């Protein structure tokens, strides 16, 4: 059961913050460059900023969005939404590097979580609607690994986990 609990740490990405505002209409200020059509930096009144490419007053192209919560997204934007490849650092330090569709994690990517003691857990594989979904590979902090199918962040069928010492355990779906 411990392995199942470990899965909960990685399979569902922390909530992803909302898309950036329409900068042409937002309060705050364009502090550098052209935030309507071109390259610029926009500082939001509640904290956080966006620096990168703009089109029609929206993030469009490559940019870096720093949220007031401390989360950071670096990557592609299309008409104000995360679209294409991007890297997201969550408030808790977990990271997602991969594909976005319609402002959500969707496609192939990797979620990495590092504990305070430096131990790392990793999921690499398919994702949909901000959760692991499809075929993926996991490496847990104790060296155990898992490879197989997941649905909505949970194992779909009986699966085996191999610890760093080669011990295999069978688990049933949740």
């Amino acid at each position: 059961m411990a392995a199942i609990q470990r899965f909960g740490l990685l399979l569902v990405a922390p909530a992803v913050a909302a898309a950036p505002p329409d900068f042409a209409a937002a309060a705050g200020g364009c502090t550098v460059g052209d935030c309507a059509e071109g390259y610029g930096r926009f500082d939001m009144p509640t904290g956080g900023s966006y620096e990168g490419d703009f089109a029609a007053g929206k993030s469009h192209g490559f940019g870096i969005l720093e949220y007031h919560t401390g989360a950071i997204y670096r990557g592609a934007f299309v008409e104000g939404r995360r679209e294409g490849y991007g890297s997201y650092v969550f408030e808790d330090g977990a990271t997602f590097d991969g594909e976005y569709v319609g402002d959500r994690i969707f496609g192939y990517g990797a979620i990495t979580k590092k504990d305070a003691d430096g131990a790392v857990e990793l999921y690499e594989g398919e994702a949909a609607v901000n959760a692991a979904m499809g075929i993926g590979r996991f490496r847990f902090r104790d060296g155990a690994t898992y490879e197989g199918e997941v649905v909505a962040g949970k194992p779909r069928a009986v699966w085996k986990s191999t610890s760093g010492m080669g011990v295999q355990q069978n688990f049933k779906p949740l």
Side-chain angles (χ1 to χ4, degrees), residues 3-168:
I4 297 289
Q5 294 300 319
R6 290 184 295 194
F7 260 59
L9 294 175
L10 283 177
L11 286 178
V12 178
V16 178
D22 177 344
F23 294 103
C30 188
T31 57
V32 174
D34 184 350
C35 297
E37 299 284 340
Y39 184 89
R41 177 182 170 91
F42 189 95
D43 293 323
M44 290 172 254
T46 58
S49 64
Y50 171 80
E51 184 168 347
D53 298 320
F54 289 86
K58 295 182 180 182
S59 49
H60 189 84
F62 180 82
I64 300 171
L65 178 61
E66 296 181 8
Y67 295 89
H68 72 281
T69 61
I72 300 171
Y73 172 80
R74 291 177 180 89
F77 290 88
V78 174
E79 297 180 356
R81 296 166 54 159
R82 292 168 297 205
E83 191 83 28
Y85 184 82
S87 178
Y88 194 99
V89 179
F90 297 91
E91 293 87 348
D92 67 358
T95 62
F96 173 79
D97 294 296
E99 298 174 68
Y100 285 79
V101 173
D103 211 37
R104 292 179 174 257
I105 292 171
F106 195 98
Y108 188 84
I111 299 171
T112 306
K113 183 175 175 81
K114 185 183 272 190
D115 292 339
D117 61 1
V120 175
E121 291 186 321
L122 170 70
Y123 167 77
E124 183 177 32
E126 299 171 329
V129 194
N130 293 337
M133 180 92 81
I135 303 298
R137 180 177 24 198
F138 302 86
R139 187 183 75 223
F140 300 103
R141 66 188 324 252
D142 63 0
T145 60
Y146 163 76
E147 189 169 336
E149 185 177 10
V150 293
V151 175
K154 297 180 182 176
R156 181 179 172 115
V158 175
W159 52 274
K160 289 184 178 180
S161 173
T162 305
S163 74
M165 298 162 88
V167 177
Q168 291 191 343

